[in-house]
Amino acid sequence: LSSSAPQLLSFSPTIMYTRVVLAGLLAFSGAEAFAPQPISILSPSAPRPLSSVASRIRQVPSALSLKAEDPVPEPVNPSRRNFAKVIAASLLVAGAAEPSHALFGIFEPFQVYKEDEAKEGFPLQGSKDIMIKKAHGTSEKPVMSNLRWGCDVELADRICNFNRHFAEYAGYYSTTNWLKEVDRSKETTYYDSVTGKALFVAPRGRSFDQFLAESKVHGWPSFRDEEVVWENVRCLQDGETVSLTGTHLGHNLPDRKGNRYCINLVSIAGQAGSGKA
């Protein structure tokens, strides 16, 4: 396998799975195909940068990079256990390299971008200093007192300004007036609950029904790259999605379609402009 991440991630499924079969056949015939280094499974609990993926891929069985002219390694004692190890490791790499073709969606939570997605430069990465302590938690002031759709102000303030990891409960939006008041016939701009700055515009490039269906599946309003107002939004290295002024918004949880920003409704229920503090 190439050590170049963009080249690796641009492999076709046919090439990847041909190499998987090759690795299995070599192991079955007794070839030494399994590298002595253990291959740790990538944790789905948090997105991983490409450098992290590449470092693990370099530990893959050498059989995966064999060429026709390469000599076949000397046989060793074959065993079903070694065969299983090679197949498991090979599937791990194939899944990490081509998440859109991974079996059963096992690798769906990993933040791995194919070459064409990486070229677009999303999500825009922000410094951890965005979320340093300020006058009011991670922001300079509390959330507005007149949040849209009847969102709970106290809950919003806790999530926006004194929280980095937790969220409103799944489906919270259904307890508000959002679905009753939102105009389903056009784009809606969603504003920062603290500053009133525009953060998301949706639906864009799809219908409201498609936007809502995806949000219902995941439990939170779910936005795509083209629906983010990047002048005011950044993603941190662990996937946390925040406003440039320090409001916690949610997390980027990519799926097979690309980046998916699962956002707390209470974080984007502000009034346009400054609003009422």
Side-chain angles (χ1 to χ4, degrees), residues 52-100:
S52 176
V53 175
S55 67
R56 286 165 173 76
I57 288 173
R58 282 193 286 272
Q59 300 180 34
V60 172
S62 57
L64 291 180
S65 59
L66 284 177
K67 300 178 182 178
E69 63 270 19
D70 291 338
V72 177
E74 291 295 323
V76 295
N77 294 329
S79 71
R80 293 182 180 179
R81 178 173 299 180
N82 284 340
F83 176 75
K85 284 181 178 180
V86 172
I87 293 300
S90 303
L91 288 175
L92 172 63
V93 177
E98 280 288 341
S100 61

Side-chain angles (χ1 to χ4, degrees), residues 2-277:
S2 169
S3 61
S4 171
Q7 290 181 343
L8 172 68
L9 297 178
S10 64
F11 279 160
S12 70
T14 302
I15 293 175
M16 289 305 303
Y17 285 103
T18 298
R19 294 190 175 198
V20 168
V21 172
L22 174 61
L25 291 175
L26 286 171
F28 187 76
S29 64
E32 180 59 75
F34 196 74
Q37 301 93 335
I39 298 180
S40 58
I41 296 178
L42 298 178
S43 170
S45 61
R48 300 285 184 173
L50 282 176
S51 58
S52 176
V53 175
S55 67
R56 286 165 173 76
I57 288 173
R58 282 193 286 272
Q59 300 180 34
V60 172
S62 57
L64 291 180
S65 59
L66 284 177
K67 300 178 182 178
E69 63 270 19
D70 291 338
V72 177
E74 291 295 323
V76 295
N77 294 329
S79 71
R80 293 182 180 179
R81 178 173 299 180
N82 284 340
F83 176 75
K85 284 181 178 180
V86 172
I87 293 300
S90 303
L91 288 175
L92 172 63
V93 177
E98 280 288 341
S100 61
H101 297 276
L103 296 179
F104 311 116
I106 294 174
F107 301 99
E108 184 172 303
F110 302 143
Q111 186 170 336
V112 180
Y113 303 103
K114 289 183 285 187
E115 187 175 12
D116 58 342
E117 294 170 344
K119 285 179 180 177
E120 296 179 0
F122 295 124
L124 296 186
Q125 296 293 316
S127 167
K128 62 182 180 180
D129 292 340
I130 294 173
M131 301 300 283
I132 62 174
K133 183 175 176 57
K134 304 181 183 70
H136 189 76
T138 56
S139 298
E140 293 294 347
K141 59 183 180 180
V143 299
M144 302 174 188
S145 62
N146 59 337
L147 296 178
R148 291 194 288 179
W149 309 304
C151 287
D152 187 288
V153 173
E154 182 180 352
L155 175 65
D157 199 52
R158 291 202 308 269
I159 289 178
C160 292
N161 298 321
F162 298 94
N163 162 63
R164 302 292 303 280
H165 306 289
F166 298 101
E168 64 196 22
Y169 60 82
Y172 169 81
Y173 64 81
S174 64
T175 68
T176 70
N177 296 325
W178 177 48
L179 294 180
K180 298 177 183 178
E181 298 177 5
V182 67
D183 189 338
R184 301 178 183 228
S185 65
K186 63 179 184 180
E187 295 179 346
T188 295
T189 301
Y190 296 84
Y191 300 95
D192 192 317
S193 292
V194 176
T195 66
K197 292 184 178 181
L199 302 176
F200 300 93
V201 180
R204 179 165 286 178
R206 54 179 172 170
S207 68
F208 182 86
D209 287 342
Q210 291 172 321
F211 166 57
L212 180 58
E214 185 170 82
S215 298
K216 284 183 175 180
V217 168
H218 302 296
W220 291 267
S222 297
F223 301 92
R224 296 293 177 173
D225 288 332
E226 61 272 20
E227 296 171 326
V228 183
V229 180
W230 290 109
E231 290 83 353
N232 301 319
V233 176
R234 292 292 186 273
C235 274
L236 305 189
Q237 189 173 14
D238 63 355
E240 182 183 7
T241 306
V242 302
S243 76
L244 280 173
T245 55
T247 304
H248 172 83
L249 305 176
H251 284 81
N252 176 25
L253 303 174
D255 61 11
R256 293 177 182 180
K257 295 179 182 179
N259 295 312
R260 173 169 52 85
Y261 307 93
C262 290
I263 304 299
N264 296 288
L265 185 65
V266 296
S267 299
I268 56 173
Q271 301 288 343
S274 60
K276 296 180 181 179

